[in-house]
Amino acid sequence: MPLLFEANALPLVVISQVLLTGKSWAFHASRAPIALTQELGYQRRSVTGTSGLFNAVDVNENILKSYNSVGDKHAYIGSTQLYPEPRSLEESPTLLNAFLTNSHPAESQADLGQGKFIMSDWRKAWYTYGQCDRSISVEEYRRIKNADGFLVDPITGEAQYEIHDIDGQLPDDLVGVLYRNGPGKFGVNGERVAHILDADGLLLRFEFKPPEEMDLSSSSSRVKFTSRFIETEGFREEQQAQKFTKRGTFGTAPVPLWYEPPRNGLNEDPPGKPPLLARIAANAFKVDIKNTANTQVVAFGGKVLALWEAGMPYELHPETLKTLGMDTLGSSRNLKGKLAVNYVPGIPEELQPDILGGLAHTAHPKMCPRTGHLVGWTWAQNPNDGSMEVTFTEYDSHGFTIVAADTHVLGGCALAPHDMVLTENYVMLKINSLEMDQLSFLSGAKGPAECLGMDGRAPVKAFVFPRPTLSKEKKEKYPPFVVEGIPACFSIHFSHGYEDAKTGNIVSYFSGWPPSDSESFLGAWGGFAPDYNKIPPTYYWRMEIDPATQKCVDLRVSPGQENMCIEHPVVHPNVQTKDATYAYAQCCNKIGDASAPMGYAKMKLDGSAAVQSNLVMGDSNDEVDVYWVGSRRFAGEPLVVPKRGASESETDAYLLGLVYDAVRNQSSLMVFDLERNLKEGPVCTLWLETALPHGLHGCFAPDTSVQTSCFC
């Protein structure tokens, strides 16, 4: 499930869409070499009619009449790789009855994990936040604001309230501040964005106060919730103009004055593409892509930063979430309105095009558990040779000061990698096989991500560099190198990496896709919400690189996790650069298919997991510890948070996950105690007053000073 990955950039975020036919796939240097041109297709169980996941069952005639009269064109079982065509709810009487009665079906944990969901439920998880989809006059806005106020302000997305509706017992040692970021406002003036990842960022804040600070005689809650849209330059400009004014990474774009786009509402399907002439007239040579700041949030050094990988971060007030402005992270460059492309060599700066000379910062920095440093990197393309200049920087939490920085060049790298690997001595960037059609982009005919292509069977490479803080002697011991010829595999998010104590090899784990013949990326990611009949299953991979030979010596689905479709893998923050025992992930199903996320998985990495190498798509992996939230609920990215006063144990922590409930049309925050099995369920569930959009990434600060945080 490549559910919510934001991807690579030049000078834009890249999302990839690969149509797969593949099975659990591995490469190992000690075995007979696998030809890169060899067919590596999925083995599938044959599926005909209602066999497989669904049995043919007689459905009550009255129920069928009710179903046929509903009129919801999205009231069907969501399509997947295994079931590429939408299926009628009649195939699942239990789910059909639950839909018609707006209830949760009677289902056990054993029943779940098959990737079955209702498409109309999934679409609701991508509705714009609050009532921010409706038009409101200035007079009406002021009247309500001055009277009772809004639960969610329709202009700013601002909400603030205590959470009292809690199932179970809130743990006393869950203390600190949880921040979450993700797309939240899906358009302007009734026109929905062309792609969910073009939406404006929505920042969420959950403050968990220490029990000893609470007045026992008061009815106040320990948990306070705050939300607000991230008011970037593009957000404010479009609010003022009441139309799209900047190009989005994934196809959203302005139109000329003579073309009036359909305005169906922010919670309706986006309109089709404007005519080619309109697209070119409004967007030719306009390459200032809108920074939505909608991807990640990091609390560090007293700052809260909203990240988007094709531009610089925006700083937010740690408590009110009010946008304070773009943060250049100490750069002296004038970055406003500029692309992450260096100046053309040999031309004086005053003669350079105004759009050149910018920088972009990764949306996925890492935190070193030993030093407490935030390790990030900025990038800019070199226009003369297709290479990329990257600067790795380590920051100290005291004043967000720079400890050390090193600049390197990635040869033949046209698009910025999405994520990085951090170990005790190395930083590593794995480069996917991507190219960009510059002409279509510059002409305005296509959005940036639509101009991307890939060779899903081409070998890929990785760049490995010594960490900036290493001494001169250590940098000689750990010199930079390039790993060529890594077998085809598209990486998305890295959970962690480390140097093996016995071999010295660099071992990393990531979510990603097997080889593919697809040349298309955007595919099902366009439109209203991800559609899984075109989106490939995402597996959890293990990759091992030998620095001595500069070769990839192992690449395989993590043993024991076969057929587990997962995304957003994380580990305990104390083992970010170590050989972790467990990894956790958002889980879609246990049958190797692609579907919406409906659970959380705890995956063993210590060699004790039962290897399921003979599974093919459609077979269940029942050996992994998973909690399924239900077929009418959807699970967001997990975050592992150490308990207050915790030991060094990986399980002395909580797993936090936001879950959307389509029956209640309401979101909740589930809290799991990692000293228990996940399948035992959450120890408590905190209910929000409203539904929240699905979201992307987040962080947890141990206190309100936000000097440091753990994040994924």
Side-chain angles (χ1 to χ4, degrees):
M1 162 206 109
L3 175 53
L4 287 179
F5 102 89
E6 319 78 49
N8 303 15
L10 169 77
L12 27 109
V13 182
V14 175
I15 243 185
S16 306
Q17 171 54 45
V18 185
L19 308 182
L20 292 177
T21 58
K23 74 172 185 178
S24 198
W25 177 83
F27 160 80
H28 199 287
S30 65
R31 301 176 183 172
I34 299 175
L36 292 173
T37 57
Q38 176 184 347
E39 280 300 320
L40 296 170
Y42 281 148
Q43 293 181 357
R44 302 170 183 256
R45 294 295 185 212
S46 61
V47 180
T48 56
T50 56
S51 64
L53 299 182
F54 303 95
N55 297 319
V57 178
D58 290 333
V59 181
N60 182 283
E61 186 175 343
N62 290 330
I63 293 180
L64 287 180
K65 288 181 179 179
S66 298
Y67 176 46
N68 293 328
S69 66
V70 166
D72 185 344
K73 64 180 180 180
H74 302 291
Y76 56 81
I77 299 171
S79 55
T80 68
Q81 288 280 300
L82 192 59
Y83 293 87
E85 297 299 325
R87 292 162 289 160
S88 169
L89 288 175
E90 296 172 31
E91 292 190 22
S92 177
T94 303
L95 200 54
L96 172 58
N97 183 67
F99 175 77
L100 293 175
T101 58
N102 193 38
S103 62
H104 288 287
E107 52 194 6
S108 67
Q109 289 291 303
D111 298 326
L112 296 166
Q114 303 298 309
K116 179 173 62 173
F117 64 99
I118 301 174
M119 190 61 189
S120 59
D121 288 349
W122 178 229
R123 286 169 59 90
K124 290 177 183 176
W126 297 98
Y127 277 10
T128 205
Y129 182 47
Q131 292 186 326
C132 306
D133 60 319
R134 70 186 182 98
S135 300
I136 184 170
S137 67
V138 174
E139 293 75 16
E140 183 185 5
Y141 176 80
R142 288 174 177 170
R143 178 181 61 79
I144 298 176
K145 188 82 169 177
N146 294 332
D148 298 330
F150 298 95
L151 179 58
V152 177
D153 188 298
I155 305 299
T156 65
E158 184 178 6
Q160 190 172 108
Y161 52 83
E162 292 182 345
I163 297 177
H164 291 276
D165 189 358
I166 301 176
D167 298 336
Q169 185 67 39
L170 180 66
D172 287 345
D173 52 1
L174 178 57
V175 176
V177 183
L178 170 68
Y179 293 97
R180 300 292 307 182
N181 192 5
K185 188 171 185 295
F186 292 89
V188 62
N189 193 21
E191 185 180 1
R192 187 174 172 96
V193 291
H195 193 289
I196 54 175
L197 295 181
D198 279 339
D200 293 297
L202 170 66
L203 205 65
L204 311 174
R205 180 182 189 271
F206 298 78
E207 181 179 350
F208 298 86
K209 296 181 179 179
E212 63 270 18
E213 294 184 7
M214 301 304 296
D215 182 355
L216 297 180
S217 64
S218 170
S219 61
S220 296
S221 171
R222 275 186 56 212
V223 189
K224 181 181 178 181
F225 171 78
T226 306
S227 67
R228 193 162 185 143
F229 292 132
I230 301 168
E231 297 183 9
T232 63
E233 177 188 15
F235 176 95
R236 292 175 177 172
E237 190 176 282
E238 291 178 352
Q239 283 290 96
Q240 179 67 30
Q242 284 297 289
K243 63 181 180 180
F244 296 127
T245 59
K246 293 182 181 293
R247 296 176 73 179
T249 300
F250 298 97
T252 305
V255 293
L257 292 176
W258 47 264
Y259 179 81
E260 181 62 27
R263 301 186 186 277
N264 302 324
L266 302 192
N267 291 338
E268 299 296 333
D269 287 315
K273 280 187 178 182
L276 178 61
L277 181 59
R279 300 199 303 272
I280 294 176
N283 299 290
F285 301 105
K286 292 183 178 179
V287 294
D288 181 13
I289 305 303
K290 180 182 177 182
N291 181 342
T292 55
N294 68 4
T295 306
Q296 173 63 298
V297 55
V298 171
F300 188 80
K303 294 182 178 182
V304 173
L305 299 179
L307 305 177
W308 180 73
E309 64 188 349
M312 297 303 285
Y314 272 80
E315 183 180 359
L316 295 308
H317 189 281
E319 184 174 350
T320 67
L321 305 184
K322 184 177 180 180
T323 303
L324 303 178
M326 182 183 287
D327 193 319
T328 62
L329 299 178
S331 173
S332 59
R333 298 191 191 186
N334 175 18
L335 302 177
K336 186 175 181 180
K338 294 183 178 290
L339 292 176
V341 179
N342 286 326
Y343 290 131
V344 179
I347 299 178
E349 183 174 336
E350 61 272 16
L351 299 179
Q352 297 278 353
D354 290 340
I355 61 172
L356 301 185
L359 277 178
H361 189 277
T362 178
H364 285 290
K366 301 294 184 183
M367 188 74 74
C368 176
R370 178 178 57 83
T371 64
H373 292 168
L374 178 70
V375 185
W377 53 283
T378 55
W379 61 270
Q381 290 291 147
N382 289 321
N384 57 320
D385 61 4
S387 65
M388 178 176 290
E389 183 178 276
V390 298
T391 298
F392 295 101
T393 305
E394 300 202 25
Y395 300 92
D396 187 87
S397 62
H398 300 287
F400 216 120
T401 53
I402 295 176
V403 179
D406 282 339
T407 299
H408 302 275
V409 174
L410 311 183
C413 180
L415 297 161
H418 177 57
D419 204 350
M420 65 180 285
V421 176
L422 178 72
T423 72
E424 283 293 333
N425 296 295
Y426 292 111
V427 288
M428 182 178 76
L429 299 175
K430 181 174 176 288
I431 311 300
N432 293 315
S433 180
L434 304 171
E435 292 184 356
M436 186 172 183
D437 176 2
Q438 296 281 5
L439 181 60
S440 294
F441 168 58
L442 293 173
S443 71
K446 294 182 179 180
E450 295 174 289
C451 298
L452 296 169
M454 70 169 284
D455 183 349
R457 294 197 179 276
V460 296
K461 60 184 175 181
F463 291 87
V464 184
F465 302 101
R467 282 180 54 171
T469 47
L470 295 189
S471 64
K472 181 180 178 181
E473 292 74 22
K474 272 206 164 185
K475 286 181 179 178
E476 292 176 354
K477 182 179 179 180
Y478 301 99
F481 62 93
V482 181
V483 183
E484 301 278 1
I486 299 174
C489 179
F490 195 98
S491 57
I492 306 173
H493 292 114
F494 284 87
S495 61
H496 67 300
Y498 63 93
E499 295 155 53
D500 186 86
K502 294 181 179 180
T503 64
N505 290 352
I506 302 170
V507 180
S508 60
Y509 287 81
F510 61 90
S511 60
W513 309 332
S516 160
D517 290 323
S518 173
E519 299 176 354
S520 171
F521 284 165
L522 201 53
W525 279 87
F528 193 94
D531 191 351
Y532 290 93
N533 65 339
K534 297 179 181 178
I535 298 178
T538 301
Y539 301 131
Y540 191 47
W541 296 76
R542 181 188 188 275
M543 180 173 70
E544 186 171 348
I545 288 173
D546 182 357
T549 62
Q550 300 180 6
K551 300 291 185 182
C552 174
V553 296
D554 191 20
L555 178 62
R556 66 186 57 255
V557 172
S558 177
Q561 324 312 327
E562 296 85 2
N563 265 18
M564 300 301 297
C565 181
I566 64 94
E567 236 295 39
H568 299 129
V570 296
V571 296
H572 189 290
N574 289 347
V575 292
Q576 179 71 60
T577 58
K578 301 177 183 178
D579 186 0
T581 303
Y582 299 104
Y584 306 87
Q586 185 185 44
C587 195
C588 304
N589 62 76
K590 59 181 180 180
I591 62 170
D593 200 1
S595 63
M598 292 177 285
Y600 294 107
K602 179 180 182 179
M603 301 176 290
K604 293 181 180 179
L605 307 181
D606 59 359
S608 65
V611 178
Q612 308 284 302
S613 57
N614 294 324
L615 296 180
V616 298
M617 185 184 283
D619 290 342
S620 291
N621 183 343
D622 295 313
E623 301 300 320
V624 179
D625 181 17
V626 182
Y627 179 76
W628 302 104
V629 298
S631 55
R632 301 200 69 189
R633 298 186 182 97
F634 301 103
E637 179 194 58
L639 185 62
V640 176
V641 175
K643 298 176 181 178
R644 183 169 67 157
S647 66
E648 291 297 312
S649 170
E650 288 184 45
T651 58
D652 200 4
Y654 295 108
L655 183 146
L656 308 183
L658 281 172
V659 174
Y660 171 68
D661 188 316
V663 172
R664 295 177 58 159
N665 191 29
Q666 199 171 350
S667 294
S668 66
L669 179 70
M670 289 189 176
V671 180
F672 297 83
D673 189 337
L674 294 183
E675 294 186 86
R676 312 190 322 166
N677 291 325
L678 279 187
K679 63 183 62 175
E680 296 179 46
V683 294
C684 74
T685 301
L686 295 79
W687 287 96
L688 282 298
E689 296 287 340
T690 68
L692 302 173
H694 194 70
L696 291 176
H697 301 290
C699 70
F700 190 93
D703 56 55
T704 56
S705 70
V706 296
Q707 290 301 309
T708 189
S709 63
C710 56
F711 50 86
C712 31

